[in-house]
PDB file of all heavy atoms in Angstrom:
ATOM      1  N   ALA A   1      -3.021  44.422 -20.125  1.00 97.00           N
ATOM      2  CA  ALA A   1      -2.629  43.735 -18.890  1.00 97.00           C
ATOM      3  C   ALA A   1      -3.487  44.218 -17.728  1.00 97.00           C
ATOM      4  O   ALA A   1      -3.973  43.417 -16.913  1.00 97.00           O
ATOM      5  CB  ALA A   1      -1.148  43.985 -18.608  1.00 97.00           C
ATOM      6  N   HIS A   2      -3.702  45.521 -17.638  1.00 97.00           N
ATOM      7  CA  HIS A   2      -4.512  46.083 -16.554  1.00 97.00           C
ATOM      8  C   HIS A   2      -5.946  45.579 -16.636  1.00 97.00           C
ATOM      9  O   HIS A   2      -6.542  45.190 -15.611  1.00 97.00           O
ATOM     10  CB  HIS A   2      -4.483  47.613 -16.624  1.00 97.00           C
ATOM     11  CG  HIS A   2      -5.042  48.284 -15.409  1.00 97.00           C
ATOM     12  ND1 HIS A   2      -6.404  48.395 -15.166  1.00 97.00           N
ATOM     13  CD2 HIS A   2      -4.424  48.885 -14.350  1.00 97.00           C
ATOM     14  CE1 HIS A   2      -6.596  49.027 -14.038  1.00 97.00           C
ATOM     15  NE2 HIS A   2      -5.419  49.344 -13.508  1.00 97.00           N
ATOM     16  N   GLU A   3      -6.518  45.545 -17.816  1.00 97.00           N
ATOM     17  CA  GLU A   3      -7.893  45.068 -17.986  1.00 97.00           C
ATOM     18  C   GLU A   3      -8.017  43.594 -17.640  1.00 97.00           C
ATOM     19  O   GLU A   3      -9.004  43.163 -17.017  1.00 97.00           O
ATOM     20  CB  GLU A   3      -8.362  45.322 -19.416  1.00 97.00           C
ATOM     21  CG  GLU A   3      -8.580  46.792 -19.732  1.00 97.00           C
ATOM     22  CD  GLU A   3      -8.751  47.058 -21.209  1.00 97.00           C
ATOM     23  OE1 GLU A   3      -8.316  46.221 -22.036  1.00 97.00           O
ATOM     24  OE2 GLU A   3      -9.305  48.120 -21.554  1.00 97.00           O
ATOM     25  N   ASN A   4      -7.026  42.803 -18.028  1.00 97.00           N
ATOM     26  CA  ASN A   4      -7.034  41.381 -17.674  1.00 97.00           C
ATOM     27  C   ASN A   4      -7.021  41.188 -16.171  1.00 97.00           C
ATOM     28  O   ASN A   4      -7.764  40.363 -15.625  1.00 97.00           O
ATOM     29  CB  ASN A   4      -5.831  40.671 -18.304  1.00 97.00           C
ATOM     30  CG  ASN A   4      -6.140  40.054 -19.656  1.00 97.00           C
ATOM     31  OD1 ASN A   4      -6.822  39.039 -19.749  1.00 97.00           O
ATOM     32  ND2 ASN A   4      -5.637  40.673 -20.708  1.00 97.00           N
ATOM     33  N   LEU A   5      -6.192  41.948 -15.478  1.00 97.00           N
ATOM     34  CA  LEU A   5      -6.090  41.798 -14.033  1.00 97.00           C
ATOM     35  C   LEU A   5      -7.344  42.289 -13.323  1.00 97.00           C
ATOM     36  O   LEU A   5      -7.776  41.693 -12.331  1.00 97.00           O
ATOM     37  CB  LEU A   5      -4.855  42.542 -13.514  1.00 97.00           C
ATOM     38  CG  LEU A   5      -3.512  41.914 -13.916  1.00 97.00           C
ATOM     39  CD1 LEU A   5      -2.353  42.788 -13.456  1.00 97.00           C
ATOM     40  CD2 LEU A   5      -3.374  40.516 -13.347  1.00 97.00           C
ATOM     41  N   ALA A   6      -7.941  43.361 -13.822  1.00 97.00           N
ATOM     42  CA  ALA A   6      -9.181  43.853 -13.225  1.00 97.00           C
ATOM     43  C   ALA A   6     -10.290  42.813 -13.369  1.00 97.00           C
ATOM     44  O   ALA A   6     -11.068  42.578 -12.429  1.00 97.00           O
ATOM     45  CB  ALA A   6      -9.591  45.171 -13.878  1.00 97.00           C
ATOM     46  N   LEU A   7     -10.353  42.175 -14.530  1.00 96.00           N
ATOM     47  CA  LEU A   7     -11.368  41.139 -14.740  1.00 96.00           C
ATOM     48  C   LEU A   7     -11.107  39.947 -13.832  1.00 96.00           C
ATOM     49  O   LEU A   7     -12.041  39.417 -13.200  1.00 96.00           O
ATOM     50  CB  LEU A   7     -11.339  40.698 -16.207  1.00 96.00           C
ATOM     51  CG  LEU A   7     -12.321  39.593 -16.607  1.00 96.00           C
ATOM     52  CD1 LEU A   7     -13.754  40.006 -16.297  1.00 96.00           C
ATOM     53  CD2 LEU A   7     -12.157  39.256 -18.083  1.00 96.00           C
ATOM     54  N   ALA A   8      -9.837  39.521 -13.715  1.00 96.00           N
ATOM     55  CA  ALA A   8      -9.500  38.393 -12.847  1.00 96.00           C
ATOM     56  C   ALA A   8      -9.834  38.717 -11.389  1.00 96.00           C
ATOM     57  O   ALA A   8     -10.312  37.849 -10.644  1.00 96.00           O
ATOM     58  CB  ALA A   8      -8.019  38.046 -12.991  1.00 96.00           C
ATOM     59  N   ALA A   9      -9.577  39.947 -10.977  1.00 95.00           N
ATOM     60  CA  ALA A   9      -9.882  40.344  -9.597  1.00 95.00           C
ATOM     61  C   ALA A   9     -11.377  40.225  -9.320  1.00 95.00           C
ATOM     62  O   ALA A   9     -11.792  39.718  -8.266  1.00 95.00           O
ATOM     63  CB  ALA A   9      -9.407  41.771  -9.343  1.00 95.00           C
ATOM     64  N   ARG A  10     -12.189  40.685 -10.251  1.00 94.00           N
ATOM     65  CA  ARG A  10     -13.643  40.593 -10.064  1.00 94.00           C
ATOM     66  C   ARG A  10     -14.091  39.136 -10.022  1.00 94.00           C
ATOM     67  O   ARG A  10     -14.935  38.760  -9.197  1.00 94.00           O
ATOM     68  CB  ARG A  10     -14.357  41.349 -11.183  1.00 94.00           C
ATOM     69  CG  ARG A  10     -14.159  42.856 -11.123  1.00 94.00           C
ATOM     70  CD  ARG A  10     -15.030  43.575 -12.144  1.00 94.00           C
ATOM     71  NE  ARG A  10     -14.886  45.022 -12.047  1.00 94.00           N
ATOM     72  CZ  ARG A  10     -14.044  45.732 -12.793  1.00 94.00           C
ATOM     73  NH1 ARG A  10     -13.287  45.116 -13.687  1.00 94.00           N
ATOM     74  NH2 ARG A  10     -13.967  47.041 -12.638  1.00 94.00           N
ATOM     75  N   LEU A  11     -13.553  38.313 -10.914  1.00 93.00           N
ATOM     76  CA  LEU A  11     -13.917  36.898 -10.931  1.00 93.00           C
ATOM     77  C   LEU A  11     -13.509  36.199  -9.641  1.00 93.00           C
ATOM     78  O   LEU A  11     -14.155  35.231  -9.217  1.00 93.00           O
ATOM     79  CB  LEU A  11     -13.271  36.198 -12.132  1.00 93.00           C
ATOM     80  CG  LEU A  11     -13.817  36.576 -13.510  1.00 93.00           C
ATOM     81  CD1 LEU A  11     -12.969  35.949 -14.607  1.00 93.00           C
ATOM     82  CD2 LEU A  11     -15.278  36.150 -13.654  1.00 93.00           C
ATOM     83  N   ASN A  12     -12.444  36.692  -9.005  1.00 93.00           N
ATOM     84  CA  ASN A  12     -11.968  36.081  -7.763  1.00 93.00           C
ATOM     85  C   ASN A  12     -12.561  36.741  -6.522  1.00 93.00           C
ATOM     86  O   ASN A  12     -12.088  36.510  -5.407  1.00 93.00           O
ATOM     87  CB  ASN A  12     -10.434  36.145  -7.699  1.00 93.00           C
ATOM     88  CG  ASN A  12      -9.793  35.126  -8.622  1.00 93.00           C
ATOM     89  OD1 ASN A  12     -10.265  33.991  -8.718  1.00 93.00           O
ATOM     90  ND2 ASN A  12      -8.729  35.510  -9.309  1.00 93.00           N
ATOM     91  N   GLY A  13     -13.598  37.524  -6.710  1.00 91.00           N
ATOM     92  CA  GLY A  13     -14.357  38.021  -5.573  1.00 91.00           C
ATOM     93  C   GLY A  13     -13.777  39.217  -4.850  1.00 91.00           C
ATOM     94  O   GLY A  13     -14.181  39.513  -3.721  1.00 91.00           O
ATOM     95  N   VAL A  14     -12.823  39.915  -5.476  1.00 93.00           N
ATOM     96  CA  VAL A  14     -12.290  41.120  -4.842  1.00 93.00           C
ATOM     97  C   VAL A  14     -13.394  42.178  -4.794  1.00 93.00           C
ATOM     98  O   VAL A  14     -14.147  42.372  -5.752  1.00 93.00           O
ATOM     99  CB  VAL A  14     -11.073  41.654  -5.622  1.00 93.00           C
ATOM    100  CG1 VAL A  14     -10.592  42.986  -5.044  1.00 93.00           C
ATOM    101  CG2 VAL A  14      -9.944  40.636  -5.597  1.00 93.00           C
ATOM    102  N   ASP A  15     -13.506  42.851  -3.658  1.00 93.00           N
ATOM    103  CA  ASP A  15     -14.476  43.933  -3.489  1.00 93.00           C
ATOM    104  C   ASP A  15     -14.299  44.939  -4.633  1.00 93.00           C
ATOM    105  O   ASP A  15     -13.187  45.416  -4.876  1.00 93.00           O
ATOM    106  CB  ASP A  15     -14.221  44.619  -2.144  1.00 93.00           C
ATOM    107  CG  ASP A  15     -15.260  45.679  -1.817  1.00 93.00           C
ATOM    108  OD1 ASP A  15     -15.799  46.308  -2.745  1.00 93.00           O
ATOM    109  OD2 ASP A  15     -15.526  45.877  -0.620  1.00 93.00           O
ATOM    110  N   PRO A  16     -15.380  45.261  -5.358  1.00 93.00           N
ATOM    111  CA  PRO A  16     -15.261  46.207  -6.482  1.00 93.00           C
ATOM    112  C   PRO A  16     -14.556  47.505  -6.120  1.00 93.00           C
ATOM    113  O   PRO A  16     -13.825  48.073  -6.938  1.00 93.00           O
ATOM    114  CB  PRO A  16     -16.718  46.450  -6.889  1.00 93.00           C
ATOM    115  CG  PRO A  16     -17.426  45.195  -6.493  1.00 93.00           C
ATOM    116  CD  PRO A  16     -16.755  44.740  -5.224  1.00 93.00           C
ATOM    117  N   ALA A  17     -14.732  47.953  -4.890  1.00 94.00           N
ATOM    118  CA  ALA A  17     -14.094  49.195  -4.464  1.00 94.00           C
ATOM    119  C   ALA A  17     -12.584  49.039  -4.284  1.00 94.00           C
ATOM    120  O   ALA A  17     -11.857  50.036  -4.222  1.00 94.00           O
ATOM    121  CB  ALA A  17     -14.711  49.687  -3.148  1.00 94.00           C
ATOM    122  N   GLN A  18     -12.110  47.782  -4.216  1.00 95.00           N
ATOM    123  CA  GLN A  18     -10.694  47.530  -3.980  1.00 95.00           C
ATOM    124  C   GLN A  18      -9.980  46.951  -5.196  1.00 95.00           C
ATOM    125  O   GLN A  18      -8.778  46.677  -5.137  1.00 95.00           O
ATOM    126  CB  GLN A  18     -10.531  46.574  -2.796  1.00 95.00           C
ATOM    127  CG  GLN A  18     -11.084  47.131  -1.497  1.00 95.00           C
ATOM    128  CD  GLN A  18     -11.004  46.139  -0.357  1.00 95.00           C
ATOM    129  OE1 GLN A  18     -10.563  45.012  -0.522  1.00 95.00           O
ATOM    130  NE2 GLN A  18     -11.453  46.553   0.822  1.00 95.00           N
ATOM    131  N   VAL A  19     -10.708  46.753  -6.300  1.00 95.00           N
ATOM    132  CA  VAL A  19     -10.114  46.143  -7.486  1.00 95.00           C
ATOM    133  C   VAL A  19      -8.936  46.959  -8.010  1.00 95.00           C
ATOM    134  O   VAL A  19      -7.855  46.426  -8.292  1.00 95.00           O
ATOM    135  CB  VAL A  19     -11.168  45.949  -8.594  1.00 95.00           C
ATOM    136  CG1 VAL A  19     -10.502  45.652  -9.941  1.00 95.00           C
ATOM    137  CG2 VAL A  19     -12.111  44.815  -8.227  1.00 95.00           C
ATOM    138  N   ALA A  20      -9.130  48.271  -8.148  1.00 94.00           N
ATOM    139  CA  ALA A  20      -8.070  49.116  -8.698  1.00 94.00           C
ATOM    140  C   ALA A  20      -6.797  49.029  -7.863  1.00 94.00           C
ATOM    141  O   ALA A  20      -5.684  48.921  -8.398  1.00 94.00           O
ATOM    142  CB  ALA A  20      -8.545  50.557  -8.803  1.00 94.00           C
ATOM    143  N   ASP A  21      -6.932  49.076  -6.536  1.00 94.00           N
ATOM    144  CA  ASP A  21      -5.759  48.991  -5.662  1.00 94.00           C
ATOM    145  C   ASP A  21      -5.086  47.632  -5.778  1.00 94.00           C
ATOM    146  O   ASP A  21      -3.845  47.550  -5.794  1.00 94.00           O
ATOM    147  CB  ASP A  21      -6.163  49.242  -4.210  1.00 94.00           C
ATOM    148  CG  ASP A  21      -6.505  50.696  -3.936  1.00 94.00           C
ATOM    149  OD1 ASP A  21      -6.125  51.558  -4.764  1.00 94.00           O
ATOM    150  OD2 ASP A  21      -7.157  50.968  -2.917  1.00 94.00           O
ATOM    151  N   ALA A  22      -5.884  46.547  -5.849  1.00 94.00           N
ATOM    152  CA  ALA A  22      -5.316  45.203  -5.967  1.00 94.00           C
ATOM    153  C   ALA A  22      -4.529  45.054  -7.258  1.00 94.00           C
ATOM    154  O   ALA A  22      -3.421  44.502  -7.279  1.00 94.00           O
ATOM    155  CB  ALA A  22      -6.430  44.160  -5.894  1.00 94.00           C
ATOM    156  N   VAL A  23      -5.096  45.570  -8.349  1.00 96.00           N
ATOM    157  CA  VAL A  23      -4.426  45.485  -9.650  1.00 96.00           C
ATOM    158  C   VAL A  23      -3.137  46.297  -9.648  1.00 96.00           C
ATOM    159  O   VAL A  23      -2.076  45.805 -10.040  1.00 96.00           O
ATOM    160  CB  VAL A  23      -5.372  45.970 -10.764  1.00 96.00           C
ATOM    161  CG1 VAL A  23      -4.613  46.100 -12.083  1.00 96.00           C
ATOM    162  CG2 VAL A  23      -6.538  45.000 -10.928  1.00 96.00           C
ATOM    163  N   ASP A  24      -3.220  47.533  -9.201  1.00 96.00           N
ATOM    164  CA  ASP A  24      -2.040  48.400  -9.209  1.00 96.00           C
ATOM    165  C   ASP A  24      -0.923  47.833  -8.338  1.00 96.00           C
ATOM    166  O   ASP A  24       0.261  47.898  -8.700  1.00 96.00           O
ATOM    167  CB  ASP A  24      -2.404  49.805  -8.724  1.00 96.00           C
ATOM    168  CG  ASP A  24      -3.286  50.550  -9.718  1.00 96.00           C
ATOM    169  OD1 ASP A  24      -3.345  50.135 -10.888  1.00 96.00           O
ATOM    170  OD2 ASP A  24      -3.932  51.539  -9.308  1.00 96.00           O
ATOM    171  N   SER A  25      -1.300  47.269  -7.182  1.00 95.00           N
ATOM    172  CA  SER A  25      -0.301  46.717  -6.275  1.00 95.00           C
ATOM    173  C   SER A  25       0.437  45.545  -6.913  1.00 95.00           C
ATOM    174  O   SER A  25       1.672  45.465  -6.847  1.00 95.00           O
ATOM    175  CB  SER A  25      -0.973  46.275  -4.977  1.00 95.00           C
ATOM    176  OG  SER A  25      -0.043  45.654  -4.119  1.00 95.00           O
ATOM    177  N   THR A  26      -0.300  44.648  -7.563  1.00 95.00           N
ATOM    178  CA  THR A  26       0.342  43.473  -8.142  1.00 95.00           C
ATOM    179  C   THR A  26       1.123  43.825  -9.399  1.00 95.00           C
ATOM    180  O   THR A  26       2.165  43.218  -9.678  1.00 95.00           O
ATOM    181  CB  THR A  26      -0.708  42.386  -8.462  1.00 95.00           C
ATOM    182  OG1 THR A  26      -1.555  42.227  -7.333  1.00 95.00           O
ATOM    183  CG2 THR A  26      -0.029  41.064  -8.761  1.00 95.00           C
ATOM    184  N   ILE A  27       0.649  44.801 -10.148  1.00 97.00           N
ATOM    185  CA  ILE A  27       1.421  45.271 -11.307  1.00 97.00           C
ATOM    186  C   ILE A  27       2.786  45.771 -10.849  1.00 97.00           C
ATOM    187  O   ILE A  27       3.817  45.491 -11.471  1.00 97.00           O
ATOM    188  CB  ILE A  27       0.638  46.369 -12.050  1.00 97.00           C
ATOM    189  CG1 ILE A  27      -0.451  45.725 -12.926  1.00 97.00           C
ATOM    190  CG2 ILE A  27       1.564  47.226 -12.908  1.00 97.00           C
ATOM    191  CD1 ILE A  27      -1.331  46.716 -13.641  1.00 97.00           C
ATOM    192  N   THR A  28       2.804  46.485  -9.720  1.00 96.00           N
ATOM    193  CA  THR A  28       4.077  46.960  -9.172  1.00 96.00           C
ATOM    194  C   THR A  28       4.914  45.795  -8.652  1.00 96.00           C
ATOM    195  O   THR A  28       6.128  45.733  -8.891  1.00 96.00           O
ATOM    196  CB  THR A  28       3.827  47.973  -8.040  1.00 96.00           C
ATOM    197  OG1 THR A  28       3.110  49.094  -8.572  1.00 96.00           O
ATOM    198  CG2 THR A  28       5.136  48.456  -7.432  1.00 96.00           C
ATOM    199  N   ASP A  29       4.284  44.845  -7.953  1.00 96.00           N
ATOM    200  CA  ASP A  29       5.005  43.705  -7.384  1.00 96.00           C
ATOM    201  C   ASP A  29       5.762  42.924  -8.452  1.00 96.00           C
ATOM    202  O   ASP A  29       6.870  42.424  -8.199  1.00 96.00           O
ATOM    203  CB  ASP A  29       4.026  42.752  -6.691  1.00 96.00           C
ATOM    204  CG  ASP A  29       3.522  43.294  -5.369  1.00 96.00           C
ATOM    205  OD1 ASP A  29       4.203  44.156  -4.777  1.00 96.00           O
ATOM    206  OD2 ASP A  29       2.446  42.851  -4.919  1.00 96.00           O
ATOM    207  N   LEU A  30       5.176  42.786  -9.642  1.00 96.00           N
ATOM    208  CA  LEU A  30       5.796  41.987 -10.702  1.00 96.00           C
ATOM    209  C   LEU A  30       6.338  42.857 -11.836  1.00 96.00           C
ATOM    210  O   LEU A  30       6.585  42.358 -12.944  1.00 96.00           O
ATOM    211  CB  LEU A  30       4.801  40.953 -11.229  1.00 96.00           C
ATOM    212  CG  LEU A  30       4.518  39.823 -10.229  1.00 96.00           C
ATOM    213  CD1 LEU A  30       3.361  38.948 -10.685  1.00 96.00           C
ATOM    214  CD2 LEU A  30       5.768  38.968 -10.009  1.00 96.00           C
ATOM    215  N   ALA A  31       6.520  44.153 -11.547  1.00 96.00           N
ATOM    216  CA  ALA A  31       7.171  45.088 -12.478  1.00 96.00           C
ATOM    217  C   ALA A  31       6.534  45.075 -13.861  1.00 96.00           C
ATOM    218  O   ALA A  31       7.213  45.014 -14.885  1.00 96.00           O
ATOM    219  CB  ALA A  31       8.669  44.776 -12.566  1.00 96.00           C
ATOM    220  N   LEU A  32       5.205  45.167 -13.868  1.00 97.00           N
ATOM    221  CA  LEU A  32       4.468  45.227 -15.130  1.00 97.00           C
ATOM    222  C   LEU A  32       3.993  46.643 -15.453  1.00 97.00           C
ATOM    223  O   LEU A  32       3.196  46.829 -16.377  1.00 97.00           O
ATOM    224  CB  LEU A  32       3.259  44.282 -15.072  1.00 97.00           C
ATOM    225  CG  LEU A  32       3.556  42.792 -15.220  1.00 97.00           C
ATOM    226  CD1 LEU A  32       2.343  41.964 -14.799  1.00 97.00           C
ATOM    227  CD2 LEU A  32       3.950  42.459 -16.653  1.00 97.00           C
ATOM    228  N   ASP A  33       4.488  47.625 -14.721  1.00 96.00           N
ATOM    229  CA  ASP A  33       3.993  48.994 -14.853  1.00 96.00           C
ATOM    230  C   ASP A  33       4.038  49.503 -16.294  1.00 96.00           C
ATOM    231  O   ASP A  33       3.051  50.068 -16.791  1.00 96.00           O
ATOM    232  CB  ASP A  33       4.817  49.936 -13.965  1.00 96.00           C
ATOM    233  CG  ASP A  33       4.876  49.471 -12.522  1.00 96.00           C
ATOM    234  OD1 ASP A  33       5.560  48.461 -12.272  1.00 96.00           O
ATOM    235  OD2 ASP A  33       4.242  50.105 -11.661  1.00 96.00           O
ATOM    236  N   ARG A  34       5.137  49.280 -16.973  1.00 96.00           N
ATOM    237  CA  ARG A  34       5.279  49.831 -18.327  1.00 96.00           C
ATOM    238  C   ARG A  34       4.421  49.095 -19.347  1.00 96.00           C
ATOM    239  O   ARG A  34       4.258  49.560 -20.477  1.00 96.00           O
ATOM    240  CB  ARG A  34       6.746  49.804 -18.750  1.00 96.00           C
ATOM    241  CG  ARG A  34       7.355  48.427 -18.832  1.00 96.00           C
ATOM    242  CD  ARG A  34       8.823  48.476 -19.185  1.00 96.00           C
ATOM    243  NE  ARG A  34       9.047  48.981 -20.540  1.00 96.00           N
ATOM    244  CZ  ARG A  34      10.226  48.912 -21.156  1.00 96.00           C
ATOM    245  NH1 ARG A  34      11.280  48.410 -20.525  1.00 96.00           N
ATOM    246  NH2 ARG A  34      10.356  49.354 -22.388  1.00 96.00           N
ATOM    247  N   TYR A  35       3.866  47.935 -18.940  1.00 97.00           N
ATOM    248  CA  TYR A  35       3.043  47.147 -19.861  1.00 97.00           C
ATOM    249  C   TYR A  35       1.565  47.150 -19.473  1.00 97.00           C
ATOM    250  O   TYR A  35       0.765  46.446 -20.080  1.00 97.00           O
ATOM    251  CB  TYR A  35       3.543  45.698 -19.897  1.00 97.00           C
ATOM    252  CG  TYR A  35       5.005  45.573 -20.213  1.00 97.00           C
ATOM    253  CD1 TYR A  35       5.936  45.251 -19.223  1.00 97.00           C
ATOM    254  CD2 TYR A  35       5.487  45.822 -21.500  1.00 97.00           C
ATOM    255  CE1 TYR A  35       7.280  45.158 -19.512  1.00 97.00           C
ATOM    256  CE2 TYR A  35       6.838  45.739 -21.795  1.00 97.00           C
ATOM    257  CZ  TYR A  35       7.728  45.414 -20.797  1.00 97.00           C
ATOM    258  OH  TYR A  35       9.063  45.328 -21.085  1.00 97.00           O
ATOM    259  N   ALA A  36       1.205  47.949 -18.479  1.00 97.00           N
ATOM    260  CA  ALA A  36      -0.162  47.909 -17.958  1.00 97.00           C
ATOM    261  C   ALA A  36      -1.196  48.223 -19.031  1.00 97.00           C
ATOM    262  O   ALA A  36      -2.296  47.646 -19.034  1.00 97.00           O
ATOM    263  CB  ALA A  36      -0.301  48.896 -16.793  1.00 97.00           C
ATOM    264  N   ARG A  37      -0.881  49.113 -19.960  1.00 97.00           N
ATOM    265  CA  ARG A  37      -1.843  49.513 -20.998  1.00 97.00           C
ATOM    266  C   ARG A  37      -1.550  48.855 -22.342  1.00 97.00           C
ATOM    267  O   ARG A  37      -2.085  49.275 -23.374  1.00 97.00           O
ATOM    268  CB  ARG A  37      -1.823  51.037 -21.163  1.00 97.00           C
ATOM    269  CG  ARG A  37      -2.072  51.804 -19.864  1.00 97.00           C
ATOM    270  CD  ARG A  37      -3.406  51.458 -19.237  1.00 97.00           C
ATOM    271  NE  ARG A  37      -3.567  52.070 -17.913  1.00 97.00           N
ATOM    272  CZ  ARG A  37      -4.610  51.880 -17.127  1.00 97.00           C
ATOM    273  NH1 ARG A  37      -5.604  51.088 -17.531  1.00 97.00           N
ATOM    274  NH2 ARG A  37      -4.679  52.450 -15.935  1.00 97.00           N
ATOM    275  N   VAL A  38      -0.739  47.809 -22.316  1.00 97.00           N
ATOM    276  CA  VAL A  38      -0.389  47.077 -23.536  1.00 97.00           C
ATOM    277  C   VAL A  38      -1.280  45.846 -23.661  1.00 97.00           C
ATOM    278  O   VAL A  38      -1.503  45.140 -22.669  1.00 97.00           O
ATOM    279  CB  VAL A  38       1.097  46.654 -23.509  1.00 97.00           C
ATOM    280  CG1 VAL A  38       1.448  45.810 -24.735  1.00 97.00           C
ATOM    281  CG2 VAL A  38       1.994  47.886 -23.423  1.00 97.00           C
ATOM    282  N   ALA A  39      -1.795  45.596 -24.863  1.00 97.00           N
ATOM    283  CA  ALA A  39      -2.622  44.408 -25.085  1.00 97.00           C
ATOM    284  C   ALA A  39      -1.814  43.147 -24.808  1.00 97.00           C
ATOM    285  O   ALA A  39      -0.612  43.068 -25.138  1.00 97.00           O
ATOM    286  CB  ALA A  39      -3.147  44.380 -26.519  1.00 97.00           C
ATOM    287  N   ALA A  40      -2.457  42.161 -24.213  1.00 97.00           N
ATOM    288  CA  ALA A  40      -1.754  40.930 -23.839  1.00 97.00           C
ATOM    289  C   ALA A  40      -1.116  40.245 -25.033  1.00 97.00           C
ATOM    290  O   ALA A  40      -0.060  39.625 -24.911  1.00 97.00           O
ATOM    291  CB  ALA A  40      -2.729  39.979 -23.141  1.00 97.00           C
ATOM    292  N   ARG A  41      -1.733  40.365 -26.214  1.00 96.00           N
ATOM    293  CA  ARG A  41      -1.173  39.705 -27.403  1.00 96.00           C
ATOM    294  C   ARG A  41       0.172  40.299 -27.797  1.00 96.00           C
ATOM    295  O   ARG A  41       0.954  39.664 -28.520  1.00 96.00           O
ATOM    296  CB  ARG A  41      -2.148  39.800 -28.573  1.00 96.00           C
ATOM    297  CG  ARG A  41      -2.502  41.201 -28.990  1.00 96.00           C
ATOM    298  CD  ARG A  41      -3.495  41.236 -30.150  1.00 96.00           C
ATOM    299  NE  ARG A  41      -4.015  42.571 -30.385  1.00 96.00           N
ATOM    300  CZ  ARG A  41      -3.345  43.523 -31.027  1.00 96.00           C
ATOM    301  NH1 ARG A  41      -2.136  43.266 -31.520  1.00 96.00           N
ATOM    302  NH2 ARG A  41      -3.884  44.721 -31.193  1.00 96.00           N
ATOM    303  N   ARG A  42       0.467  41.502 -27.324  1.00 97.00           N
ATOM    304  CA  ARG A  42       1.733  42.158 -27.675  1.00 97.00           C
ATOM    305  C   ARG A  42       2.820  41.920 -26.630  1.00 97.00           C
ATOM    306  O   ARG A  42       3.966  42.354 -26.814  1.00 97.00           O
ATOM    307  CB  ARG A  42       1.511  43.655 -27.866  1.00 97.00           C
ATOM    308  CG  ARG A  42       0.609  44.004 -29.045  1.00 97.00           C
ATOM    309  CD  ARG A  42       0.386  45.493 -29.145  1.00 97.00           C
ATOM    310  NE  ARG A  42       1.661  46.229 -29.186  1.00 97.00           N
ATOM    311  CZ  ARG A  42       1.775  47.522 -28.927  1.00 97.00           C
ATOM    312  NH1 ARG A  42       0.706  48.229 -28.570  1.00 97.00           N
ATOM    313  NH2 ARG A  42       2.947  48.117 -28.984  1.00 97.00           N
ATOM    314  N   LEU A  43       2.489  41.253 -25.551  1.00 97.00           N
ATOM    315  CA  LEU A  43       3.474  40.996 -24.501  1.00 97.00           C
ATOM    316  C   LEU A  43       4.410  39.861 -24.902  1.00 97.00           C
ATOM    317  O   LEU A  43       4.010  38.914 -25.586  1.00 97.00           O
ATOM    318  CB  LEU A  43       2.773  40.633 -23.189  1.00 97.00           C
ATOM    319  CG  LEU A  43       1.906  41.702 -22.542  1.00 97.00           C
ATOM    320  CD1 LEU A  43       1.254  41.147 -21.287  1.00 97.00           C
ATOM    321  CD2 LEU A  43       2.721  42.950 -22.217  1.00 97.00           C
TER     322      LEU A  43
END
């Protein structure tokens, strides 16, 4: 999940220096914290 969001952030033009913060913030917003390191196929 984290890798998917990082890739989407880059594709959407997020500053590379801010990608990690953008991903972490949205993972928290939608309560995906416990699934951040889980492969999307297992969600």
